[in-house]
Amino acid sequence: MDHYKQLESFVSVALHGSFSAAARSEGVAPNVMRERIDALEQRLAARLVHRSPRGLSLTEAGTGFLDAARALLANLEQAEAAVSARASGAHGHLRVTAPAGFGRRHIAPLIPSLVARHPSLDITLDLHDHYANLPTGDFDCALFIGDPPDSGQVAIPLGGTRRVVVGSPAYLDRAGVPVRPADLARHNCLCFHGESQMQARHWQFRVDGRLLQQPVSGNLRCSDGSTLHQWALAGMGLAWRALWEVEDDLRRGRLRSVLDDYAVATVGIHAVVPQRRHMPSRVRVFIDHLRQTYGDPGYPSAPAARL
C-alpha cells in the first residue's frame, strides 16, 4: 500500500474526526480509510487512533505523529510544486496583499524581475496603510509582520525585523540623546495615529527582561508611517520605526538610532497563504523569489538577515 496515501489518510481522519467524513472528503468508502489507518498502525507498530462508540480520538502516539505527518506532506507538496513551477513556468492571476510601507519598499521593486522570469503571471498587489489584521477577502498571499493570528491559514517565515527609535543628527544635537526609555518624556515623539491607539501613546521596550510600555507624546501625529519617517529625517522629533524602513538612512548617517539596548526582540515577517491541499505554482515562485532576494547579504535592509 502507498505509504503516502497512508499518511494523507491519517491526517485527514485526524482533522475530520471520523472515518466517514474523511472518506467523503477524498471520495472513497469509509472502509478504505480504515484499511489505510490499520496498515499504517501495523507498519509503525503503534496505535495512532483510539476507536470508541462515541467517536475517534488520537492516542498520545497519534498526537505526536500528526505534526510530523503534516510536515512531511507539506514538504513533499512544496517540493513537487517547486519542480513543477520550474518545469512549466508559473502562470495565472496572483493576488498579493501587504502593509503599504513594506510593500512599496520590499515587494513592488521585486515584481519586475519576477515577471521577467515568469511572463505568464498576472499580478495584483494590494497595499494597505492600515494593516492590523490579515485580510478576509480573496487573496493568494498576504505579507504579515509580527505573529500572524491563528486563523487556520499557513504562515511561511521569510525573515524578521525589529523596531528602533531614530532621530536626525540635528534633532539629537538640539534636544539631547535619551539614554533610557523614561527620557522620552522630555522629547518630541512622532506618533502613529490610526487603528492602533496603543502605539500612538506607548512605545515598547525591554527593561531588565520585562516588556515596558513607555508613554510618549509629541506635537505631530500621522496615520502614514512613511510620513513619520520623513518628519524624523527633517529633524522634527524621534520616531519608532521598523529597521527595514530606516536602515539605509542609519547606514548613510541621515538618522541615528537611540535606546538600542532596550529594543524589543525581532519580530517575524511571514508570507501567509490560505490552507490548501496544493500550493499553486504562481504562489510558490513568488514566495521563493522573496526568500532568495531577502536572503542575499547584498540586498539593502535584508529582512532575512534579522532572524
Side-chain angles (χ1 to χ4, degrees):
M1 186 180 292
D2 187 348
H3 292 178
Y4 176 87
K5 273 296 182 185
Q6 292 175 4
L7 290 178
E8 190 177 50
S9 296
F10 168 68
V11 171
S12 182
V13 168
L15 295 180
H16 285 89
S18 73
F19 288 116
S20 57
R24 284 194 300 271
S25 71
E26 295 196 20
V28 299
N31 67 300
V32 172
M33 304 299 288
R34 294 189 183 92
E35 290 173 358
R36 291 174 182 173
I37 301 304
D38 289 343
L40 177 61
E41 290 178 330
Q42 185 175 7
R43 181 163 60 87
L44 298 177
R47 177 69 68 181
L48 303 177
V49 179
H50 177 70
R51 304 154 174 86
S52 73
R54 290 177 296 180
L56 302 180
S57 62
L58 296 183
T59 65
E60 183 177 352
T63 300
F65 187 64
L66 177 60
D67 289 338
R70 294 182 72 177
L72 285 170
L73 292 174
N75 288 338
L76 180 58
E77 290 173 5
Q78 290 174 12
E80 290 175 345
V83 171
S84 176
R86 286 193 294 269
S88 60
H91 62 277
H93 186 196
L94 174 66
R95 297 153 299 183
V96 178
T97 183
F102 186 82
R104 283 191 295 264
R105 285 176 174 265
H106 295 290
I107 300 177
L110 308 183
I111 296 299
S113 57
L114 176 66
V115 174
R117 294 168 57 185
H118 303 281
S120 296
L121 279 179
D122 177 12
I123 300 176
T124 297
L125 181 58
D126 190 9
L127 303 181
H128 295 274
D129 285 320
H130 302 286
Y131 195 85
N133 300 296
L134 285 175
T136 56
D138 199 15
F139 69 98
D140 292 306
C141 183
L143 277 293
F144 196 85
I145 300 175
D147 295 326
D150 185 8
S151 59
Q153 295 161 341
V154 179
I156 302 169
L158 299 177
T161 189
R162 60 186 175 89
R163 283 185 173 271
V164 291
V165 179
V166 297
S168 70
Y171 174 83
L172 293 172
D173 289 344
R174 181 175 73 250
V177 177
V179 297
R180 57 184 61 86
D183 294 343
L184 293 175
R186 299 192 298 272
H187 282 268
N188 194 45
C189 295
L190 308 171
C191 299
F192 183 82
H193 178 74
E195 296 175 1
S196 177
Q197 291 304 310
M198 173 62 75
Q199 189 185 136
R201 297 188 295 266
H202 298 82
W203 292 352
Q204 291 184 354
F205 299 94
R206 189 162 294 279
V207 179
D208 297 329
R210 295 184 178 182
L211 195 63
L212 170 70
Q213 303 284 352
Q214 177 63 44
V216 294
S217 62
N219 68 341
L220 294 174
R221 291 163 296 280
C222 188
S223 60
D224 176 55
S226 63
T227 298
L228 299 177
H229 180 193
Q230 293 302 315
W231 284 346
L233 287 169
M236 304 301 294
L238 298 177
W240 189 44
R241 307 308 305 154
L243 192 59
W244 57 258
E245 180 182 3
V246 300
E247 189 171 34
D248 185 57
D249 294 309
L250 294 174
R251 186 166 49 246
R252 296 173 182 270
R254 294 189 291 252
L255 291 174
R256 288 164 52 191
S257 63
V258 298
L259 302 174
D260 290 346
D261 290 341
Y262 301 97
V264 294
T266 297
V267 297
I269 300 172
H270 298 86
V272 180
V273 299
Q275 186 81 265
R276 289 194 180 108
R277 170 68 176 78
H278 292 289
M279 184 182 295
S281 61
R282 64 183 183 276
V283 180
R284 170 52 50 196
V285 298
F286 173 71
I287 293 175
D288 287 346
H289 189 58
L290 296 185
R291 276 178 162 170
Q292 292 168 9
T293 305
Y294 296 164
D296 184 350
Y299 179 71
S301 305
R306 306 298 158 208
L307 280 179

PDB file of all heavy atoms in Angstrom, residues 89-118:
ATOM      1  N   GLY A  89       6.760  26.680 -15.736  1.00  0.00           N
ATOM      2  CA  GLY A  89       6.614  28.115 -15.586  1.00  0.00           C
ATOM      3  C   GLY A  89       5.321  28.466 -14.885  1.00  0.00           C
ATOM      4  O   GLY A  89       4.281  27.848 -15.118  1.00  0.00           O
ATOM      5  N   ALA A  90       5.386  29.447 -13.986  1.00  0.00           N
ATOM      6  CA  ALA A  90       4.189  29.850 -13.259  1.00  0.00           C
ATOM      7  C   ALA A  90       3.318  30.727 -14.157  1.00  0.00           C
ATOM      8  O   ALA A  90       3.813  31.473 -14.996  1.00  0.00           O
ATOM      9  CB  ALA A  90       4.586  30.605 -11.997  1.00  0.00           C
ATOM     10  N   HIS A  91       2.015  30.636 -13.957  1.00  0.00           N
ATOM     11  CA  HIS A  91       1.093  31.428 -14.747  1.00  0.00           C
ATOM     12  C   HIS A  91      -0.165  31.672 -13.933  1.00  0.00           C
ATOM     13  O   HIS A  91      -0.358  31.081 -12.872  1.00  0.00           O
ATOM     14  CB  HIS A  91       0.740  30.705 -16.061  1.00  0.00           C
ATOM     15  CG  HIS A  91       0.055  29.399 -15.842  1.00  0.00           C
ATOM     16  ND1 HIS A  91       0.742  28.239 -15.567  1.00  0.00           N
ATOM     17  CD2 HIS A  91      -1.275  29.072 -15.842  1.00  0.00           C
ATOM     18  CE1 HIS A  91      -0.118  27.250 -15.406  1.00  0.00           C
ATOM     19  NE2 HIS A  91      -1.337  27.720 -15.578  1.00  0.00           N
ATOM     20  N   GLY A  92      -1.008  32.550 -14.444  1.00  0.00           N
ATOM     21  CA  GLY A  92      -2.277  32.832 -13.787  1.00  0.00           C
ATOM     22  C   GLY A  92      -2.240  34.124 -12.997  1.00  0.00           C
ATOM     23  O   GLY A  92      -1.243  34.844 -12.954  1.00  0.00           O
ATOM     24  N   HIS A  93      -3.369  34.420 -12.354  1.00  0.00           N
ATOM     25  CA  HIS A  93      -3.550  35.660 -11.606  1.00  0.00           C
ATOM     26  C   HIS A  93      -3.075  35.477 -10.164  1.00  0.00           C
ATOM     27  O   HIS A  93      -3.631  34.678  -9.417  1.00  0.00           O
ATOM     28  CB  HIS A  93      -5.028  36.063 -11.631  1.00  0.00           C
ATOM     29  CG  HIS A  93      -5.290  37.407 -11.011  1.00  0.00           C
ATOM     30  ND1 HIS A  93      -6.546  37.823 -10.637  1.00  0.00           N
ATOM     31  CD2 HIS A  93      -4.442  38.425 -10.696  1.00  0.00           C
ATOM     32  CE1 HIS A  93      -6.468  39.038 -10.120  1.00  0.00           C
ATOM     33  NE2 HIS A  93      -5.204  39.415 -10.148  1.00  0.00           N
ATOM     34  N   LEU A  94      -2.058  36.226  -9.763  1.00  0.00           N
ATOM     35  CA  LEU A  94      -1.509  36.187  -8.407  1.00  0.00           C
ATOM     36  C   LEU A  94      -1.992  37.428  -7.665  1.00  0.00           C
ATOM     37  O   LEU A  94      -1.730  38.555  -8.069  1.00  0.00           O
ATOM     38  CB  LEU A  94       0.020  36.158  -8.445  1.00  0.00           C
ATOM     39  CG  LEU A  94       0.738  36.260  -7.103  1.00  0.00           C
ATOM     40  CD1 LEU A  94       0.457  35.036  -6.250  1.00  0.00           C
ATOM     41  CD2 LEU A  94       2.239  36.440  -7.313  1.00  0.00           C
ATOM     42  N   ARG A  95      -2.693  37.216  -6.546  1.00  0.00           N
ATOM     43  CA  ARG A  95      -3.234  38.324  -5.757  1.00  0.00           C
ATOM     44  C   ARG A  95      -2.470  38.394  -4.439  1.00  0.00           C
ATOM     45  O   ARG A  95      -2.546  37.478  -3.615  1.00  0.00           O
ATOM     46  CB  ARG A  95      -4.720  38.104  -5.504  1.00  0.00           C
ATOM     47  CG  ARG A  95      -5.563  38.088  -6.772  1.00  0.00           C
ATOM     48  CD  ARG A  95      -6.816  37.267  -6.613  1.00  0.00           C
ATOM     49  NE  ARG A  95      -6.495  35.874  -6.319  1.00  0.00           N
ATOM     50  CZ  ARG A  95      -7.404  34.910  -6.178  1.00  0.00           C
ATOM     51  NH1 ARG A  95      -8.681  35.203  -6.325  1.00  0.00           N
ATOM     52  NH2 ARG A  95      -7.057  33.673  -5.903  1.00  0.00           N
ATOM     53  N   VAL A  96      -1.743  39.493  -4.250  1.00  0.00           N
ATOM     54  CA  VAL A  96      -0.892  39.682  -3.081  1.00  0.00           C
ATOM     55  C   VAL A  96      -1.352  40.917  -2.329  1.00  0.00           C
ATOM     56  O   VAL A  96      -1.639  41.956  -2.931  1.00  0.00           O
ATOM     57  CB  VAL A  96       0.589  39.851  -3.490  1.00  0.00           C
ATOM     58  CG1 VAL A  96       1.468  40.088  -2.259  1.00  0.00           C
ATOM     59  CG2 VAL A  96       1.066  38.617  -4.256  1.00  0.00           C
ATOM     60  N   THR A  97      -1.417  40.819  -1.008  1.00  0.00           N
ATOM     61  CA  THR A  97      -1.748  41.970  -0.177  1.00  0.00           C
ATOM     62  C   THR A  97      -0.679  42.128   0.888  1.00  0.00           C
ATOM     63  O   THR A  97      -0.083  41.144   1.333  1.00  0.00           O
ATOM     64  CB  THR A  97      -3.155  41.811   0.451  1.00  0.00           C
ATOM     65  OG1 THR A  97      -3.475  42.983   1.187  1.00  0.00           O
ATOM     66  CG2 THR A  97      -3.211  40.609   1.374  1.00  0.00           C
ATOM     67  N   ALA A  98      -0.403  43.384   1.277  1.00  0.00           N
ATOM     68  CA  ALA A  98       0.713  43.652   2.182  1.00  0.00           C
ATOM     69  C   ALA A  98       0.553  45.012   2.844  1.00  0.00           C
ATOM     70  O   ALA A  98      -0.192  45.874   2.343  1.00  0.00           O
ATOM     71  CB  ALA A  98       2.036  43.603   1.415  1.00  0.00           C
ATOM     72  N   PRO A  99       1.265  45.251   3.956  1.00  0.00           N
ATOM     73  CA  PRO A  99       1.310  46.600   4.524  1.00  0.00           C
ATOM     74  C   PRO A  99       1.904  47.565   3.501  1.00  0.00           C
ATOM     75  O   PRO A  99       2.846  47.215   2.785  1.00  0.00           O
ATOM     76  CB  PRO A  99       2.229  46.450   5.745  1.00  0.00           C
ATOM     77  CG  PRO A  99       2.243  44.988   6.045  1.00  0.00           C
ATOM     78  CD  PRO A  99       2.057  44.291   4.739  1.00  0.00           C
ATOM     79  N   ALA A 100       1.378  48.781   3.443  1.00  0.00           N
ATOM     80  CA  ALA A 100       1.750  49.707   2.369  1.00  0.00           C
ATOM     81  C   ALA A 100       3.236  50.032   2.365  1.00  0.00           C
ATOM     82  O   ALA A 100       3.891  49.972   1.325  1.00  0.00           O
ATOM     83  CB  ALA A 100       0.922  50.985   2.484  1.00  0.00           C
ATOM     84  N   GLY A 101       3.780  50.399   3.528  1.00  0.00           N
ATOM     85  CA  GLY A 101       5.188  50.796   3.566  1.00  0.00           C
ATOM     86  C   GLY A 101       6.123  49.676   3.166  1.00  0.00           C
ATOM     87  O   GLY A 101       7.021  49.863   2.332  1.00  0.00           O
ATOM     88  N   PHE A 102       5.911  48.494   3.737  1.00  0.00           N
ATOM     89  CA  PHE A 102       6.753  47.350   3.399  1.00  0.00           C
ATOM     90  C   PHE A 102       6.571  46.971   1.941  1.00  0.00           C
ATOM     91  O   PHE A 102       7.534  46.635   1.239  1.00  0.00           O
ATOM     92  CB  PHE A 102       6.416  46.169   4.307  1.00  0.00           C
ATOM     93  CG  PHE A 102       7.329  44.987   4.120  1.00  0.00           C
ATOM     94  CD1 PHE A 102       8.559  44.943   4.740  1.00  0.00           C
ATOM     95  CD2 PHE A 102       6.951  43.925   3.308  1.00  0.00           C
ATOM     96  CE1 PHE A 102       9.406  43.859   4.560  1.00  0.00           C
ATOM     97  CE2 PHE A 102       7.786  42.846   3.127  1.00  0.00           C
ATOM     98  CZ  PHE A 102       9.024  42.810   3.759  1.00  0.00           C
ATOM     99  N   GLY A 103       5.330  47.026   1.472  1.00  0.00           N
ATOM    100  CA  GLY A 103       5.058  46.670   0.082  1.00  0.00           C
ATOM    101  C   GLY A 103       5.748  47.592  -0.900  1.00  0.00           C
ATOM    102  O   GLY A 103       6.290  47.137  -1.918  1.00  0.00           O
ATOM    103  N   ARG A 104       5.739  48.901  -0.608  1.00  0.00           N
ATOM    104  CA  ARG A 104       6.387  49.848  -1.504  1.00  0.00           C
ATOM    105  C   ARG A 104       7.898  49.626  -1.570  1.00  0.00           C
ATOM    106  O   ARG A 104       8.506  49.743  -2.639  1.00  0.00           O
ATOM    107  CB  ARG A 104       6.099  51.290  -1.049  1.00  0.00           C
ATOM    108  CG  ARG A 104       4.713  51.793  -1.394  1.00  0.00           C
ATOM    109  CD  ARG A 104       4.598  53.283  -1.170  1.00  0.00           C
ATOM    110  NE  ARG A 104       4.731  53.624   0.246  1.00  0.00           N
ATOM    111  CZ  ARG A 104       3.709  53.806   1.066  1.00  0.00           C
ATOM    112  NH1 ARG A 104       2.474  53.647   0.622  1.00  0.00           N
ATOM    113  NH2 ARG A 104       3.912  54.148   2.315  1.00  0.00           N
ATOM    114  N   ARG A 105       8.506  49.314  -0.423  1.00  0.00           N
ATOM    115  CA  ARG A 105       9.968  49.213  -0.365  1.00  0.00           C
ATOM    116  C   ARG A 105      10.502  47.822  -0.707  1.00  0.00           C
ATOM    117  O   ARG A 105      11.579  47.701  -1.289  1.00  0.00           O
ATOM    118  CB  ARG A 105      10.465  49.586   1.037  1.00  0.00           C
ATOM    119  CG  ARG A 105      10.423  51.070   1.321  1.00  0.00           C
ATOM    120  CD  ARG A 105      10.833  51.347   2.765  1.00  0.00           C
ATOM    121  NE  ARG A 105      10.935  52.770   3.007  1.00  0.00           N
ATOM    122  CZ  ARG A 105      12.065  53.463   2.926  1.00  0.00           C
ATOM    123  NH1 ARG A 105      13.187  52.839   2.633  1.00  0.00           N
ATOM    124  NH2 ARG A 105      12.080  54.764   3.141  1.00  0.00           N
ATOM    125  N   HIS A 106       9.770  46.777  -0.304  1.00  0.00           N
ATOM    126  CA  HIS A 106      10.363  45.443  -0.369  1.00  0.00           C
ATOM    127  C   HIS A 106       9.549  44.409  -1.137  1.00  0.00           C
ATOM    128  O   HIS A 106       9.901  43.229  -1.128  1.00  0.00           O
ATOM    129  CB  HIS A 106      10.628  44.934   1.055  1.00  0.00           C
ATOM    130  CG  HIS A 106      11.647  45.746   1.790  1.00  0.00           C
ATOM    131  ND1 HIS A 106      12.986  45.726   1.455  1.00  0.00           N
ATOM    132  CD2 HIS A 106      11.518  46.622   2.809  1.00  0.00           C
ATOM    133  CE1 HIS A 106      13.641  46.535   2.261  1.00  0.00           C
ATOM    134  NE2 HIS A 106      12.782  47.102   3.082  1.00  0.00           N
ATOM    135  N   ILE A 107       8.470  44.828  -1.788  1.00  0.00           N
ATOM    136  CA  ILE A 107       7.729  43.903  -2.658  1.00  0.00           C
ATOM    137  C   ILE A 107       7.617  44.476  -4.064  1.00  0.00           C
ATOM    138  O   ILE A 107       8.038  43.837  -5.031  1.00  0.00           O
ATOM    139  CB  ILE A 107       6.333  43.591  -2.086  1.00  0.00           C
ATOM    140  CG1 ILE A 107       6.457  42.956  -0.704  1.00  0.00           C
ATOM    141  CG2 ILE A 107       5.589  42.643  -3.028  1.00  0.00           C
ATOM    142  CD1 ILE A 107       5.134  42.685  -0.047  1.00  0.00           C
ATOM    143  N   ALA A 108       7.067  45.675  -4.182  1.00  0.00           N
ATOM    144  CA  ALA A 108       6.862  46.272  -5.512  1.00  0.00           C
ATOM    145  C   ALA A 108       8.143  46.322  -6.351  1.00  0.00           C
ATOM    146  O   ALA A 108       8.104  45.994  -7.547  1.00  0.00           O
ATOM    147  CB  ALA A 108       6.257  47.668  -5.367  1.00  0.00           C
ATOM    148  N   PRO A 109       9.318  46.680  -5.784  1.00  0.00           N
ATOM    149  CA  PRO A 109      10.526  46.714  -6.621  1.00  0.00           C
ATOM    150  C   PRO A 109      10.979  45.346  -7.119  1.00  0.00           C
ATOM    151  O   PRO A 109      11.774  45.265  -8.064  1.00  0.00           O
ATOM    152  CB  PRO A 109      11.585  47.318  -5.680  1.00  0.00           C
ATOM    153  CG  PRO A 109      10.801  48.063  -4.645  1.00  0.00           C
ATOM    154  CD  PRO A 109       9.563  47.248  -4.448  1.00  0.00           C
ATOM    155  N   LEU A 110      10.468  44.256  -6.491  1.00  0.00           N
ATOM    156  CA  LEU A 110      10.881  42.909  -6.899  1.00  0.00           C
ATOM    157  C   LEU A 110       9.960  42.309  -7.960  1.00  0.00           C
ATOM    158  O   LEU A 110      10.283  41.266  -8.539  1.00  0.00           O
ATOM    159  CB  LEU A 110      10.916  41.982  -5.676  1.00  0.00           C
ATOM    160  CG  LEU A 110      11.727  42.469  -4.473  1.00  0.00           C
ATOM    161  CD1 LEU A 110      11.728  41.409  -3.379  1.00  0.00           C
ATOM    162  CD2 LEU A 110      13.147  42.815  -4.886  1.00  0.00           C
ATOM    163  N   ILE A 111       8.814  42.943  -8.206  1.00  0.00           N
ATOM    164  CA  ILE A 111       7.846  42.393  -9.152  1.00  0.00           C
ATOM    165  C   ILE A 111       8.388  42.358 -10.583  1.00  0.00           C
ATOM    166  O   ILE A 111       8.196  41.357 -11.294  1.00  0.00           O
ATOM    167  CB  ILE A 111       6.527  43.171  -9.080  1.00  0.00           C
ATOM    168  CG1 ILE A 111       5.877  42.999  -7.699  1.00  0.00           C
ATOM    169  CG2 ILE A 111       5.576  42.734 -10.180  1.00  0.00           C
ATOM    170  CD1 ILE A 111       5.524  41.574  -7.346  1.00  0.00           C
ATOM    171  N   PRO A 112       9.081  43.400 -11.075  1.00  0.00           N
ATOM    172  CA  PRO A 112       9.556  43.340 -12.474  1.00  0.00           C
ATOM    173  C   PRO A 112      10.455  42.140 -12.751  1.00  0.00           C
ATOM    174  O   PRO A 112      10.310  41.496 -13.802  1.00  0.00           O
ATOM    175  CB  PRO A 112      10.312  44.668 -12.628  1.00  0.00           C
ATOM    176  CG  PRO A 112       9.639  45.591 -11.672  1.00  0.00           C
ATOM    177  CD  PRO A 112       9.302  44.742 -10.483  1.00  0.00           C
ATOM    178  N   SER A 113      11.387  41.828 -11.843  1.00  0.00           N
ATOM    179  CA  SER A 113      12.272  40.687 -12.087  1.00  0.00           C
ATOM    180  C   SER A 113      11.509  39.368 -12.014  1.00  0.00           C
ATOM    181  O   SER A 113      11.836  38.411 -12.721  1.00  0.00           O
ATOM    182  CB  SER A 113      13.439  40.689 -11.091  1.00  0.00           C
ATOM    183  OG  SER A 113      12.964  40.680  -9.752  1.00  0.00           O
ATOM    184  N   LEU A 114      10.470  39.303 -11.170  1.00  0.00           N
ATOM    185  CA  LEU A 114       9.650  38.090 -11.106  1.00  0.00           C
ATOM    186  C   LEU A 114       8.889  37.892 -12.412  1.00  0.00           C
ATOM    187  O   LEU A 114       8.846  36.782 -12.958  1.00  0.00           O
ATOM    188  CB  LEU A 114       8.677  38.185  -9.928  1.00  0.00           C
ATOM    189  CG  LEU A 114       7.686  37.031  -9.778  1.00  0.00           C
ATOM    190  CD1 LEU A 114       8.416  35.734  -9.450  1.00  0.00           C
ATOM    191  CD2 LEU A 114       6.647  37.341  -8.695  1.00  0.00           C
ATOM    192  N   VAL A 115       8.291  38.965 -12.931  1.00  0.00           N
ATOM    193  CA  VAL A 115       7.538  38.866 -14.188  1.00  0.00           C
ATOM    194  C   VAL A 115       8.465  38.563 -15.360  1.00  0.00           C
ATOM    195  O   VAL A 115       8.080  37.863 -16.311  1.00  0.00           O
ATOM    196  CB  VAL A 115       6.738  40.157 -14.420  1.00  0.00           C
ATOM    197  CG1 VAL A 115       6.073  40.146 -15.787  1.00  0.00           C
ATOM    198  CG2 VAL A 115       5.695  40.334 -13.327  1.00  0.00           C
ATOM    199  N   ALA A 116       9.704  39.081 -15.300  1.00  0.00           N
ATOM    200  CA  ALA A 116      10.653  38.778 -16.378  1.00  0.00           C
ATOM    201  C   ALA A 116      10.947  37.283 -16.437  1.00  0.00           C
ATOM    202  O   ALA A 116      11.133  36.718 -17.526  1.00  0.00           O
ATOM    203  CB  ALA A 116      11.951  39.557 -16.147  1.00  0.00           C
ATOM    204  N   ARG A 117      10.987  36.635 -15.271  1.00  0.00           N
ATOM    205  CA  ARG A 117      11.236  35.185 -15.228  1.00  0.00           C
ATOM    206  C   ARG A 117       9.983  34.383 -15.524  1.00  0.00           C
ATOM    207  O   ARG A 117      10.060  33.254 -16.013  1.00  0.00           O
ATOM    208  CB  ARG A 117      11.785  34.802 -13.848  1.00  0.00           C
ATOM    209  CG  ARG A 117      13.162  35.382 -13.559  1.00  0.00           C
ATOM    210  CD  ARG A 117      13.549  35.234 -12.109  1.00  0.00           C
ATOM    211  NE  ARG A 117      13.516  33.847 -11.660  1.00  0.00           N
ATOM    212  CZ  ARG A 117      13.733  33.480 -10.395  1.00  0.00           C
ATOM    213  NH1 ARG A 117      13.973  34.396  -9.472  1.00  0.00           N
ATOM    214  NH2 ARG A 117      13.699  32.208 -10.073  1.00  0.00           N
ATOM    215  N   HIS A 118       8.805  34.951 -15.210  1.00  0.00           N
ATOM    216  CA  HIS A 118       7.531  34.243 -15.411  1.00  0.00           C
ATOM    217  C   HIS A 118       6.550  35.198 -16.095  1.00  0.00           C
ATOM    218  O   HIS A 118       5.633  35.734 -15.465  1.00  0.00           O
ATOM    219  CB  HIS A 118       6.975  33.763 -14.067  1.00  0.00           C
ATOM    220  CG  HIS A 118       7.906  32.870 -13.303  1.00  0.00           C
ATOM    221  ND1 HIS A 118       8.073  31.528 -13.589  1.00  0.00           N
ATOM    222  CD2 HIS A 118       8.765  33.151 -12.289  1.00  0.00           C
ATOM    223  CE1 HIS A 118       8.960  31.011 -12.762  1.00  0.00           C
ATOM    224  NE2 HIS A 118       9.399  31.966 -11.967  1.00  0.00           N
TER     225      HIS A 118
END
